[in-house]
Structure formats: structure tokens, C-alpha cells
Amino acid sequence: MLTESRFMENASLKQIVDTEPIHRSMKSGEEMVGIYKNYQGKSVLGASMFMPEYGWTLLAEMDTSEAFAPIKTISIIVSILWIGMAGTVTILGIIYAVSMTRPIEELTHATERFSQGGLEYRIKVTGKDEVGTLASRFNIMAENLENEIKRQKSLSDTLRKSEASLANAQRIAHVGSWDWDIVKNKIHWSDEHYRIFGLTPQSFNATNEAVLDRIHPDDREFFKKSVNEAFYEGKPYSIDVRIIQPDGSERSIHTQAEVVFDHTGKPIQMNGTIQEITERKMLKKKLIETQSRLEYLLTNSPAVIYSCKPSGNCETIFVSSNIKRLMGYEPNEFIENPSLWIKYIHPEDIPRALNEMKYGIEKGSHILIYRVKHKDGTYRWIHDEMRVMHDSHGKPQEIVGFVIDITQQKRIEDEIKSVSRFSSENPNPVLRIAKEGTVLYANLSGSSFLRDWKCEMGKQVPDFIFQIIKEALNTRSIIRRVEIGQRGKIFSFTIVPVTTTTDYVNLYGTDITKLKQIEQELRTLNESLEERIAERTLDLAKVNRELQTEIDKHKQTADTLMKSESKYRLLLENLPQRVFYKDKNSIYISCNENFAKDLHIKAEEISGKTDYNFFPKELADKYRDNDRRVIESGQKIDRDQEYLMNGKESFIHMIKVPVKDEEGHTIGILSSYLDITEKIVLQKEAERSKYLASLGELAAGIAHEINNPVTGIINCAQILFNKSQEKSRERDLATRILKEGDRIAKIVHSLLFFARPGSKEEKNIANIQEILSDTLALTGAQLRKEGIKLTLGVSQKLPEIVANRQLIQQVFVNAINNARYALNQKYPSTHSNKILEISGEEITIDHYPYIKITICDHGTGIPARIRDKVMNPFFTTKPTGKGTGLGLSISHGIVKDHGGKLFIKSVEGEYTKLIIILPAQSKTA
């Protein structure tokens, strides 16, 4: 009841009304107006209206005794005054009926408005009788209901916005959520969860068995174990597993979950989240590979990398593992005893080394030369180059640097000093200058420098020379590589202090003009290499930042999503993999459109076909053999292999997975592959670029570390030659030294020329005999070491050619290396038939002159079945790591670019001939 009752105190909102209007409304929605029994069994006059929107019945009642009391009074009056008052009674009855029914009609109208949604409508209260009380209660009810509806609408809008924000967060973070009602055994996935699995709610019924089928076969036991521990032991899990999408593609996910228990310890619900981490896994793998390469470079570099504190005894913080090669001690010995390094410095060098280190800390960087004690008791000279790292306030924070063993270089310099007495005959400049800066001595070549300096014997040298002399005498150390230019040439001076009763310094100069030109070319190559390394370093740093950002997002999002769920779906993205399914007899059942396009058929046409319908017998046998291994072993195959696509050989990444029935029997094979030909090409090109870059670095090192001592050796040998008598033992030794020194210089020059990038250089007139001679200078020592006899039959009258010397030399080097490999395979040790024959002759083709070079080995030969493939890129008969499969392909391209031809004649087990034909320069040109 909404209104108060005069029959029962506090009856509103709690009295049960079980009357005829209520029965009619509830059963059929019928309205009633008339006289009936009320809840006390008394007759009343009332009206009812049913409101189906709210399930309410609006009821207005009045006791019949009250309703008809005036009528009874009027009837008595009428019976007495029926004649005189008939008209008056009739008028009064009409007025009274109108006054009584109007409030009821207004209440009925308000009820109709209310049922149609007009909650803002209110009834005007005109009295305090039953009808007025009913109208007042109606208004209160309408206002309360309107406020409640507004509150519910506000909560609904807030919830809708919250769910939209949550769904957007899941989409951005690639995180899905799920829950399992264990009591009802119902699993609910969020839309993002479906997208990660490559599924849709319409195509997939999420059950425990169906979910387990989506887990990678190798990860299922681990996944089941984690779920069981959470279910039975209450341990939340956070694991990484792989899943298989419907197209066969493999993805990696991170999933975590926990079980909710009731008060009796019974599990009632399980909640969890998943996040796709495939890209993160790939980035992590690349990061590990990069770290391995850096570790390899540190371990095999001749330079020992270190860091130490910039105060006290400069205690060691880090030292690379190749310190053992330099000093014989393990790196951890220096970490455990940070002052160990200072302990092993030569006692005579400790004061100077510490002073120079202090100077370097103040200056920011410095180079030190001193001796350190090896574990075997000997001392080694080292070159120590240090740099100070500062914090944001400019305070020294750490010293980083590297040390190099220069013992051999010091030995050579000592030998140079021993022959300095021949300075008067030395073709290179030699000067002696007193500590005051006056010239004491200069040989003939040195005198030319005095003239350029406008200085004479006994006079003061220029200030820049004097400052270097002061530094050498103050530090009592030899200063090397002081470069001074003179008349278009560059000389490298070594300043040697001599501390006796009269201190002075000797200056020994060497003409390094050609060396500087070579160094400039090498520096250009190194700068290019450094730029590539810097680019890779920036890429690695970017990957690290993206990986850290992804990890941070994962942590933040996971905490939020563990308390929420998502109800939004995304469509599956198509992947480029080719996917097909075979039965256990290797007969195709179905495939996707991409695979069908490769075979030039429709997807539905593949059913019932075999590999022999689409591929050559050799490849078909290989593919069926792979299928048999998968079926017999029950294990997947995941590897790279060759593939015939559109009539061309390519490389693919193939995955074959056994399909098993409920009893664990293999009933078929699900396969997928991805074309990785471009990736393989880039890897092979990268290997070749790395090889050339390494060769350039090797050439730079040889030029830098060998040319200077070789020059000194040749100069000393020349002095010995000039001093010795004809046919004397000294003259013979000097002649041999000069010959071998020139040979070393020639080898270094050839190696530098080969390593220098020249693919874009112009072709010039070249002599084929000189190119062959340079090639054999590089490979001759290896041929002799392997016991290979070299037979040359190249005519000395061959015409010149127009070519890029380096590229033609590259062709010859590759051909000789292939011949060496074939001979060593057939004859691992020395043999009378282990011969490499190189011949050259002039021929004529279509009235034009050509040069024909034949390189023949009596090695293993080439099988006839693969002879047509040896020119293909990446085809090689050598084992993994021994060849790239690019040599002959590149050589063929080089010869073709020069207007020539390259072809092979071979008999398996007998010989292989590589024939190179190049156009010669016309003699009349």
C-alpha cells in the first residue's frame, strides 16, 4: 500500500492486499472500476490500473457507506419532498458525482502518464481526504522512482566508459584476460584473448581440452603441471609458453593466473591474463646473439679492455678475459685483488707510471708505455691508452682504456738503436740535439731539415721541436711517430733521449709518405665500417629501449587486468605462411590459398594429390622422407631447406608437426613454411661483407705493424751491404735480407690492393701476368704448406686487357682456393699427382683477340648431376662453415661484366678445369 489507511495504523508499504482488482491485474492485466470486497472484507467503491513496466497495480478505494451516505440522505429527503425537491436533488446529485469522480479521473490520467514513462508528471493535491492522501503518496513515489532511474543511468554510463577504457588498454597492450567458473565449468575469454589465439567466439568453444590443444606440443606437459599446481596447491603461476594458431603459425605468450577458494578451501574460480610476447622473444634472442659477438670480439682482440677507479692505486673494476694471454693471470684475480695490476708493474716504471696516470686523470686522457711482469717471470712492454669518464657534475667517475703488448716492437726499436752509429750513411734523416735545443749533429738527409727550419749547427731548433725534446728528456721515455712534413713528403721521427753527463736526444726519421697514403685509404674504409657499427649500435640501443618499454607496459597492465575482464573482439590477422595437411600416407588433404597459388591450382584441387604431382622426383622423395620421420618419431621438424617455387629454387623455413588422435596415434602431418630466400641472400651477402671488412682490418694491421720494422730492416741491410766487401759473408747475408724484405713488402702491398674496395672503380689497362703474380704472392705460401705443386704455363707475350685488377684477382683467388680444396679432399697429404696447373694463351674468337686462362686441378672433380648447379648462388658442395656458395656465382658475374666467359669442364674423380676467357686489347688500338 502507498497511502495511509484509516482502518490500520502504519499500514502503508507493508500491508498485503489480496482483492479482486489485484487478481485481475496480475493474471490478465485487466483494469477494474466498481464495488468489491477490500482486504478487510468490507464493500468498497474503487478503481484499479495495471502498470506492466514496473509490475505495479495502482488502486484507489472508498468505503461504500461513505460513498453512498449522501445518496441515502437525499433519498430520504426525496421521499419526503419528492415532488418539490426532485429537481434540486437531481442537480445536487450531479454536482456531487462530478466532485467525487474528478480526483479519481485525474489520478487515473496520472497513472496512464506514469506508465508511458512520464515520470516527471505530478498530481495536484486538493484535499486531505483519502483521494488527496493517495495523490500525495503517488507524487512521492514518482519522485523517488525518477531519482532512482537517474542514479541507475549514471552508474550504467560510468560502467560503460570504464569497460571501453579497459578494452582499449587491452588492445594497446596486446593483453587478454580469462576466467574459469569452476563450479559451473564455464570459461570466458576476452576479445583480445581470442585475437592472440587467432580465433573468434563463433568458431571456438573455450573448454579445457580445446585450450590444451592450442598449446604447443612441447609445452603442454609444463603448462598442465603449472595449472595443476595452482588448482591443487594454490600456487599462482606466471609462465611463458608457445601456442599454435589455426593456420599453423607459432606464437609465444606470457600467461599468469591464480585460483580463488571458498571458506572451506574448495576452488570455485580461476582468473588469469595472457600477453603475446613473440616479438619480445625475437628481440631477446637478437640481444643474446649480439652480446655473444661482443664477447667473442673482446676475447679474441689483441687489446685488453679494462676499467678502474680514478683514485688511490687505481683499483681494477673490470678486465677482459684476454688478459690471460698478455700476463698469464685470470681476470677474476685482478677483480678479487684490485691493486694487483700496480703490483706487477716493473719497479723501475712504477713512479713514472703513477705520475703519468695522475697526469692523465687531470688531462682526461693519456698514453703510457711501461713494463709488466708475466706469470712466467718475464717482463712485457705494453702500450696503455686510458680515458677518464666523468659524471654529470664533471667529477672523475671511472677510467676506461686498453693495453697492447708491444714487446716485439720495442725489440725492433732497440735493434734500430744498435745500428744508429751508421747515421752518416743512413739515407734517412738523423739528428742529435742538446737539452738546450741546439743542434749537435745532422747527417746529409737531416741537414735538409735544418735548411727548411732556417737553422744551423750549434743553433736553436724551432720551438715545436724543442718542446718535444724537453718532454722526452723529462719523462726519460722514447717518443715515437712524431710526423714532420718536408717538401711534399712526410717523415716519422723517433725521439730517443740519452741521459749521460751531457743530456741530449737523437732523432731518427723515416719517409712514410707512401704509408700515409695507404693509411688514408684504410682510414676511409675504417670510417665506413665504423659508421655501419655505429648504426648497428643505435639499432641495438633502440631495441633495448623498446624491450624495456614493453616490459614496463606489461607489468603495469597486468596488475590492472588481473582485477578486470574484457568483452571485446578483434579480427584475426592473416599471415604469409603456406599451410597444408597430409594424412599418414603423405597424401594431401587440404591447404591454404597461399600454398595453392604456389602450385598454380585451387585449394580444393589438392585433395588426393601427392608430392610427385607437383615436384621433381628427387625433391618429392626428400619431402616424403621428412614426412616418414615425423610420423615414425612423433616429433616435429623445424628447419630451413630448399624448395622449388614457380620453377625456381628458393629457401624456406619449414615446420612439420604430427597430428594425433585421442589415443596418441599419429594420423597425419600439419605443415607450414615461410619463404626466407631474401633473408638467406642478405645473410650470405653480410658474410661476404664481413669477410672483406675483416680482410681490410687485417691489411691495415699488417701495413701498420709490419711496414715500419720492415723499412728499418731493409735500411739496416742496405747499410750492411754498402759496408761489406764483395763476395763476403756479410754481403751475402745483406743481399738475402734485402731480397726477403722486398718480398714481404710485396706481399703486404698485394694484400692491401686486394682488400681495398674497388667494385665501382673504372677499368684500366692491366697485365694478366702481373695480376696472376700478385695472386700467387697471396696464395703461394698456402699452396707450399699443403704440398701442392704449382705448374705455370703462361705465355710472356700475352696482350694486355682492360679490367679492374682487384676483381680479376678475386676471380683467380677463388679459383685457386676451390682447386686447393678439391686436391686436399683427394690427397690429404703429399702426393706426386697433387698438382695445380695454370696456363695462359692468346686465342681468337670471331676475329677478335682474347686471353684464355685455364686453372686445372687433379682433385675430386664435380659429379655430373650437379655440374649445371655450381654456378648458382648459394650452391656449394663444401660442408657448413667451409663455403658460402657465392664464389663461383660472383666470379661468373665479374667475368661476364668484363665481356668474357667462365665455364667448367670436369670428370668426377679425375680433374676439374676452370676456363676464363677475357677480351684482350687490340694491338692496333
Side-chain angles (χ1 to χ4, degrees), residues 205-400:
N205 182 21
T207 64
N208 289 328
E209 294 76 12
V211 172
L212 192 60
D213 286 341
R214 294 289 98 194
I215 303 299
H216 194 282
D218 294 345
D219 295 344
R220 283 176 188 166
E221 288 303 321
F222 172 63
F223 179 75
K224 288 170 61 178
K225 180 176 179 293
S226 300
V227 173
N228 287 337
E229 287 180 352
F231 192 85
Y232 295 107
E233 302 177 22
K235 296 180 180 179
Y237 67 78
S238 178
I239 58 175
D240 293 345
V241 294
R242 292 165 294 172
I243 62 173
I244 303 298
Q245 292 186 332
D247 61 3
S249 60
E250 180 181 309
R251 311 298 288 175
S252 295
I253 65 169
H254 175 79
T255 177
Q256 57 187 43
E258 63 181 13
V259 177
V260 179
F261 299 87
D262 63 13
H263 66 282
T264 64
K266 179 182 177 181
I268 59 174
Q269 190 168 1
M270 194 171 187
N271 303 316
T273 62
I274 69 166
Q275 181 177 24
E276 183 176 352
I277 58 171
T278 306
E279 298 300 327
R280 188 205 306 176
K281 287 281 188 181
M282 295 175 62
L283 293 175
K284 184 177 180 180
K285 181 180 178 182
K286 291 181 180 178
L287 182 60
I288 293 174
E289 292 173 352
T290 302
Q291 290 173 340
S292 298
R293 287 194 292 270
L294 292 175
E295 179 64 25
Y296 174 81
L297 292 175
L298 283 176
T299 303
N300 295 278
S301 171
V304 176
I305 311 299
Y306 71 88
S307 66
C308 62
K309 295 181 180 180
S311 60
N313 288 333
C314 298
E315 296 179 352
T316 305
I317 299 174
F318 165 80
V319 63
S320 58
S321 57
N322 53 351
I323 186 66
K324 185 174 182 179
R325 187 167 61 244
L326 176 66
M327 296 183 65
Y329 296 98
E330 297 292 343
N332 61 310
E333 296 184 58
F334 291 92
I335 305 301
E336 294 170 358
N337 187 358
S339 301
L340 198 61
W341 184 271
I342 301 297
K343 176 182 176 181
Y344 289 125
I345 297 178
H346 195 288
E348 296 178 2
D349 296 342
I350 287 179
R352 175 175 56 82
L354 292 177
N355 288 335
E356 290 191 29
M357 196 173 295
K358 182 179 179 181
Y359 170 76
I361 293 174
E362 296 174 353
K363 184 180 178 183
S365 62
H366 194 53
I367 298 176
L368 301 84
I369 307 295
Y370 54 88
R371 292 164 289 179
V372 294
K373 189 176 183 180
H374 193 273
K375 195 172 185 178
D376 61 10
T378 61
Y379 280 94
R380 308 285 178 90
W381 281 97
I382 64 169
H383 171 101
D384 185 347
E385 190 162 335
M386 56 172 282
R387 181 178 296 275
V388 181
M389 310 302 293
H390 298 83
D391 59 18
S392 58
H393 302 291
K395 183 179 179 181
Q397 187 176 23
E398 186 178 0
I399 296 175
V400 296

Side-chain angles (χ1 to χ4, degrees), residues 6 245 409 465 539 557 613 844 868 877:
R6 68 178 62 181
Q245 292 186 332
Q409 183 178 340
I465 295 293
D539 291 342
T557 307
N613 296 111
T844 301
D868 295 334
T877 59

Side-chain angles (χ1 to χ4, degrees), residues 415-435:
E415 292 174 0
I416 293 174
K417 291 180 184 179
S418 67
V419 299
S420 62
R421 60 182 180 274
F422 300 110
S423 59
S424 60
E425 300 177 4
N426 195 335
N428 291 317
V430 178
L431 300 96
R432 177 172 294 175
I433 301 175
K435 65 179 181 179

Side-chain angles (χ1 to χ4, degrees), residues 69 86 89 265 409 570 607 624 770 835:
V89 170
Q409 183 178 340
L570 294 175
S607 180
R624 291 175 70 86
E770 293 179 359
I835 301 173

Side-chain angles (χ1 to χ4, degrees), residues 426-431 445 449 482 491-494 507-512 715:
N426 195 335
N428 291 317
V430 178
L431 300 96
S445 179
F449 279 87
V482 178
F491 288 82
S492 176
F493 279 88
T494 299
L507 282 70
Y508 304 97
T510 303
D511 187 350
I512 60 169
N715 290 339

Side-chain angles (χ1 to χ4, degrees), residues 116 132 213 215 238 279 401 419 435 453 462 484 532 624 630 636 639 730-731 774 810 822 865 872 876:
Q116 295 172 1
D213 286 341
I215 303 299
S238 178
E279 298 300 327
V419 299
K435 65 179 181 179
W453 295 343
I484 300 176
R532 293 198 295 271
R624 291 175 70 86
V630 172
K636 76 168 184 176
R639 67 186 182 192
E730 290 78 9
R731 175 65 64 89
D774 290 343
Q810 182 178 347
R865 68 180 186 277
N872 293 344
T876 178

Side-chain angles (χ1 to χ4, degrees), residues 603-637:
E604 58 269 20
E605 295 175 357
I606 200 168
S607 180
K609 301 290 195 305
T610 68
D611 291 320
Y612 294 106
N613 296 111
F614 306 113
F615 306 104
K617 183 178 183 303
E618 182 178 353
L619 277 179
D621 287 340
K622 179 179 179 181
Y623 295 157
R624 291 175 70 86
D625 185 61
N626 290 339
D627 294 344
R628 179 181 54 78
R629 285 201 297 271
V630 172
I631 292 173
E632 292 177 355
S633 67
Q635 302 294 323
K636 76 168 184 176
I637 291 180

Side-chain angles (χ1 to χ4, degrees), residues 693-759:
S694 299
L695 189 58
E697 293 177 359
L698 175 63
I702 290 174
H704 188 69
E705 298 297 334
I706 294 180
N707 272 348
N708 278 342
V710 167
T711 301
I713 290 170
I714 292 174
N715 290 339
C716 293
Q718 186 65 50
I719 294 171
L720 182 60
F721 180 91
N722 295 337
K723 283 281 188 177
S724 60
Q725 298 295 327
E726 188 71 21
K727 297 183 179 180
S728 65
R729 183 172 179 274
E730 290 78 9
R731 175 65 64 89
D732 181 63
L733 289 174
T735 301
R736 292 184 182 184
I737 293 172
L738 287 171
K739 180 180 177 181
E740 294 301 317
D742 288 336
R743 190 171 72 85
I744 292 173
K746 184 176 181 181
I747 290 174
V748 172
H749 178 267
S750 299
L751 189 58
L752 279 172
F753 186 82
F754 180 73
R756 189 178 304 123
S759 60

